[in-house]
Amino acid sequence: MSGGSVEVLADACLAGRRCLVTGAGSGIGRAITLRLAALGAHVTGVGRHLETLEETAKQAGERGGCVAAVACDVRNADMAAEMISQVAGDHGIDLLVNNAGGQFYAPATQISRRGWDAVIDLNLSAVFSLILAAHPHLAKRRGAVVNMSLTGIDRGIMGAAHGVAARAGVLGLTRTLALEWGSQGIRLNCIGPGIVFTENLDPTARERALERMDAIPLGRGTDTQAIAELVAFLASDAAQLITGQLLQIDGGAHLGAGIHAWAPEKVRA
């Protein structure tokens, strides 16, 4: 069965909560930001480009939501810490969503050290810096963290050695902090999407993704609205006993042949 609305949470179930979403200017981040705002949360959308963040804020306002746009390069740990402090203020933070990320696809032998460092810095190191900076503000509100990972990080994704290493690191970090901070009431979880068709996906990547649909048991990509609803659920009281988890919202892709970005040529013996 497919189709139909994925919006199942009660109206205003996040009323009054303070949420921060990175990478909020487009794609998954925008969908998450809009849904949290629609459920009553006051959301700060963070990203490098103020104009796209302001468009997200505009869309939220048109739907009756409240979103503040803040430009910040989360790779800069000092800048990110200052941004976290300003957003938290005296209130604290109820939800931090580490969605900002990015990578390129190539076999491991074609990934330079510079390319490796860039992907690790954005997808792992920046996440660590943001969570660490947010810790006292999350503790004040017994808040939650949702980190974006990938489907299949436990089995590998050919063509994405750097991305898988970073996202697997995020999962390890998430579970470790779920243990260390659980007594403070802070919950941390990861979401592992499958193939997500966003407006920024270039035509070539879209074509390749469509060719890999047969590797997904349910034969579908992952919808941004479905991801947003899952994030909102994890922020809600209904998820108060869920922590340290990787929730794979991928149509069962992690159970199948895997969604690979590259395949080696077979060498005959």
Side-chain angles (χ1 to χ4, degrees), residues 103 116 119-121 123-124 161-171:
Q103 62 192 40
W116 172 273
V119 171
I120 297 296
D121 190 31
N123 295 280
L124 177 57
H162 45 359
V164 170
R167 300 298 191 175
V170 168
L171 177 58

Side-chain angles (χ1 to χ4, degrees), residues 53 86-87 145 147 172 190:
L53 296 170
Q86 291 181 2
V87 170
V145 178
N147 296 319
C190 280

Side-chain angles (χ1 to χ4, degrees), residues 29-179:
R30 174 173 287 174
I32 293 171
T33 300
L34 294 177
R35 185 54 178 154
L36 294 175
L39 291 169
H42 182 283
V43 189
T44 298
V46 177
R48 286 187 297 167
H49 305 295
L50 188 60
E51 60 273 18
T52 59
L53 296 170
E54 290 177 337
E55 175 59 28
T56 299
K58 177 183 176 183
Q59 291 184 26
E62 292 171 348
R63 305 176 190 184
C66 180
V67 172
V70 175
C72 177
D73 185 348
V74 297
R75 296 171 297 183
N76 185 317
D78 292 336
M79 183 185 297
E82 177 63 24
M83 177 273 295
I84 289 281
S85 179
Q86 291 181 2
V87 170
D90 295 329
H91 177 90
I93 296 175
D94 294 286
L95 174 68
L96 168 63
V97 181
N98 285 305
N99 167 74
Q103 62 192 40
F104 59 92
Y105 297 101
T109 54
Q110 294 179 20
I111 298 174
S112 68
R113 180 55 188 264
R114 181 177 179 181
W116 172 273
D117 288 346
V119 171
I120 297 296
D121 190 31
L122 176 59
N123 295 280
L124 177 57
S125 299
V127 171
F128 172 72
S129 296
L130 284 164
I131 295 176
L132 206 63
H135 170 252
H137 310 292
L138 291 164
K140 183 183 295 187
R141 300 291 299 172
R142 299 179 70 85
V145 178
V146 176
N147 296 319
M148 207 58 59
S149 186
L150 291 172
T151 179
I153 57 170
D154 58 336
R155 62 185 296 167
I157 301 173
M158 290 188 291
H162 45 359
V164 170
R167 300 298 191 175
V170 168
L171 177 58
L173 173 66
T174 298
R175 288 180 167 162
T176 299
L177 297 184
L179 291 169

